[in-house]
Amino acid sequence: MRNHLQEARSVDLASLDPAALIMLVERLRGGLDDMVRLITETHDLD
């Protein structure tokens, strides 16, 4: 997740072609989903 965030900060998002932008968003979304799941499981949240 940290690498994906670093990449998103360092790249000029306006210069990305649509497919690359979608892939970046999907990687960030997947990482966020993993983090939310981990927090929910470790803190018994629903």
Side-chain angles (χ1 to χ4, degrees), residues 8-43:
R9 286 187 199 111
S10 65
V11 71
D12 179 10
L13 298 178
S15 69
L16 290 179
D17 64 81
L21 188 55
I22 289 169
M23 292 301 294
L24 178 59
V25 169
E26 287 300 317
R27 286 193 302 269
L28 290 170
R29 187 169 70 161
L32 179 59
D33 184 55
D34 291 344
M35 294 304 295
V36 169
R37 186 177 298 122
L38 177 64
I39 291 168
T40 301
E41 290 174 2
T42 58
H43 290 87

